[in-house]
Amino acid sequence: MSNGYLQETALEIAVWEALQRVIDPELGVSLVDLGLIRSVTVADGRALIELALTTPLCPLAGVLEHEVRTAALSTPGIRAAEVILVDAPWTPQALAPWRRWLDETT
């Protein structure tokens, strides 16, 4: 395992942590906990983030895309960030397991 691989893995974790602070303005829950961030890949200081939307014609798509990119760029070591909107239907099963449990018990 090379040092570069470890650095990129650490950067991916740091980007995930930064994305945890991006909150869906309508639902008040982080995009990570909603399961809308499908993947984060880092290579050479560039983050590639796959973002799904709760609905195909989400009126906040541009806002969410901007906030995700800004959060990724706030991560030390990330020089560029690209957000790709993926055509993957969102379902409540995409929620983080702890979030599903919380919603079921309240």
Side-chain angles (χ1 to χ4, degrees):
M1 197 174 299
S2 72
N3 189 35
Y5 174 79
L6 293 175
Q7 285 179 320
E8 289 175 355
T9 300
L11 278 175
E12 286 177 10
I13 292 168
V15 171
W16 277 103
E17 289 173 353
L19 295 175
Q20 185 69 42
R21 295 187 297 271
V22 180
I23 305 299
D24 183 287
E26 293 180 316
L27 301 174
V29 177
S30 87
L31 300 186
V32 171
D33 290 343
L34 284 171
L36 295 176
I37 304 296
R38 296 298 170 95
S39 70
V40 173
T41 308
V42 173
D44 299 321
R46 300 179 55 88
L48 177 64
I49 300 134
E50 291 186 339
L51 170 65
L53 302 172
T54 54
T55 63
L57 299 175
C58 176
L60 297 173
V63 171
L64 296 175
E65 189 175 353
H66 172 76
E67 289 188 18
V68 166
R69 183 178 299 103
T70 300
L73 289 170
S74 75
T75 305
I78 297 297
R79 296 184 314 274
E82 181 181 358
V83 179
I84 297 174
L85 296 178
V86 295
D87 186 20
W90 181 86
T91 66
Q93 287 73 34
L95 286 168
W98 74 267
R99 185 69 204 194
R100 283 195 312 268
W101 175 84
L102 182 63
D103 289 347
E104 291 169 0
T105 60
T106 56

